[in-house]
Amino acid sequence: MTYRVGIEIPTVEVRFEHLNINAEVRGANRGVPTFFNFYIDAIEGLLNKLHILKSRKRHLTILKDVGGIIKPGRMTLLLGPPSSGKTTLLLALAGKLDPRLEVRSSGKVTYNGRGTSEFVPQRTAAYVGQHDLHIAEMTVRETLAFSARCRGVGSQYGNARIPSERKIYLS
């Protein structure tokens, strides 16, 4: 797929099979990051390491045996109720999953048939969170360029560079 600026956009097929993501979480009243909870968590963590106090964290399954294919050049719609794991799935596919989350070895994500050890998903995928902050005085082009520079996307990932005097036509 080549646009009028002469840049070849990479096409990546993403397959995920038997994807399981789990987390260790605290109770609802201890999840809020306050000074009190921070100190209680630190003391509790120390007592857990000394085997004086049993951990109060509980096991939470975020994704269980999820699979699918995302084809290049197609729009994919991901629907689900709140807290169903949509954001966690997208973060896992973009390679930006929190390292504290446990991804079971039975789950597998491949990009064009290659695993994460051979392929760096951050070079071809970008995840923009639900609350994307931007400067209102900037144009769309300036906002995207600024965001790309802040996220580390640039000439180090390839020789593709968009000249400022050309217009980008996306369909």
Side-chain angles (χ1 to χ4, degrees):
M1 184 180 301
T2 303
Y3 293 104
R4 293 184 186 181
V5 294
I7 297 175
E8 186 72 26
I9 296 181
T11 57
V12 179
E13 179 183 84
V14 181
R15 289 179 182 256
F16 49 102
E17 302 168 343
H18 307 292
L19 191 60
N20 296 294
I21 299 177
N22 303 304
E24 295 291 327
V25 296
R26 302 185 187 285
N29 59 346
R30 294 280 300 283
V32 179
T34 64
F35 284 115
F36 177 74
N37 285 342
F38 173 78
Y39 290 116
I40 294 295
D41 291 344
I43 292 169
E44 188 177 294
L46 178 65
L47 294 175
N48 288 341
K49 286 185 180 181
L50 297 174
H51 302 292
I52 296 173
L53 182 67
K54 187 177 177 183
S55 177
R56 295 183 184 177
K57 291 182 180 180
R58 62 184 179 93
H59 186 76
L60 175 69
T61 301
I62 300 172
L63 296 176
K64 183 178 180 182
D65 199 30
V66 177
I69 301 172
I70 299 177
K71 300 264 185 190
R74 293 190 181 172
M75 185 178 292
T76 303
L77 179 64
L78 181 60
L79 294 174
S83 299
S84 63
K86 301 179 299 289
T87 302
T88 304
L89 175 63
L90 291 174
L91 287 170
L93 297 179
K96 296 188 176 270
L97 196 60
D98 191 333
R100 292 177 290 179
L101 295 176
E102 173 193 340
V103 181
R104 289 195 187 157
S105 59
S106 63
K108 184 170 82 169
V109 180
T110 59
Y111 307 89
N112 286 341
R114 297 187 173 129
T116 53
S117 61
E118 304 172 42
F119 186 86
V120 180
Q122 292 88 348
R123 291 185 180 183
T124 58
Y127 177 79
V128 178
Q130 297 174 27
H131 305 290
D132 191 27
L133 302 175
H134 62 278
I135 302 169
E137 290 82 14
M138 294 173 72
T139 65
V140 174
R141 176 187 294 275
E142 292 169 337
T143 302
L144 292 174
F146 177 74
S147 177
R149 274 189 248 118
C150 289
R151 294 174 189 264
V153 177
S155 60
Q156 72 265 24
Y157 288 131
N159 296 329
R161 190 173 150 287
I162 301 173
S164 59
E165 69 272 2
R166 290 191 176 174
K167 294 183 179 178
I168 299 176
Y169 298 97
L170 301 175
S171 55

